[in-house]
Amino acid sequence: MRISFQMRDRDRQILKAVNDFQVLQIDHIHTLFFDNNIKPAYRRIKQLIDNGYLDVLYITQVATAPAASQRILTISRLGAEVLADNFGYGTDDFNFASRQIKNWKTLKPMLAVN
């Protein structure tokens, strides 16, 4: 039996941050929204991914093994709907995964800035 997912205010703020920064890692979200314990951050982010609010991309650098791939989070179409309903975002306000985000050469400085 699957428990239904209920969107919380913090979840909406996480979606907003992921979209506004274009891309975030779990560590970024942990620092922004959770206290010292990382387990609740991982659990909630997993729920947001499993329920379709966030997309996860695995970015592999050419010189590293696939196991060393970076997991990055981007907004999904469903997450964009939440932002439109709760924050009044329009079509031009969404930052879905782009070629720039999927390229590790341009992603690395973007993550450093975030």
Side-chain angles (χ1 to χ4, degrees):
M1 183 174 150
R2 185 173 179 168
I3 298 173
S4 65
F5 179 79
Q6 290 189 336
M7 181 69 62
R8 300 176 185 159
D9 288 335
R10 179 170 51 189
D11 298 331
R12 291 179 193 88
Q13 293 299 321
I14 290 170
L15 296 177
K16 185 177 184 312
V18 169
N19 182 71
D20 293 352
F21 284 106
Q22 297 183 33
V23 61
L24 287 178
Q25 292 179 298
I26 293 172
D27 292 344
H28 295 132
I29 295 171
H30 169 247
T31 301
L32 288 169
F33 297 102
F34 294 86
D35 294 328
N36 295 330
N37 191 354
I38 197 163
K39 286 183 181 181
Y42 276 111
R43 186 172 33 254
R44 198 61 186 178
I45 292 165
K46 182 176 180 342
Q47 290 173 336
L48 288 168
I49 293 167
D50 290 347
N51 285 283
Y53 294 99
L54 290 174
D55 287 333
V56 63
L57 300 171
Y58 297 90
I59 308 299
T60 304
Q61 295 181 14
V62 176
T64 62
S69 299
Q70 287 187 323
R71 286 179 43 180
I72 59 169
L73 303 170
T74 60
I75 197 73
S76 69
R77 298 281 177 202
L78 184 59
E81 289 178 22
V82 171
L83 295 178
D85 291 343
N86 291 275
F87 299 103
Y89 280 37
T91 307
D92 295 334
D93 298 323
F94 301 120
N95 294 305
F96 298 110
S98 65
R99 293 183 79 202
Q100 180 183 11
I101 289 172
K102 293 177 182 178
N103 183 341
W104 68 270
K105 289 180 182 180
T106 53
L107 174 66
K108 191 171 182 177
M110 190 181 300
L111 288 173
V113 169
N114 289 350

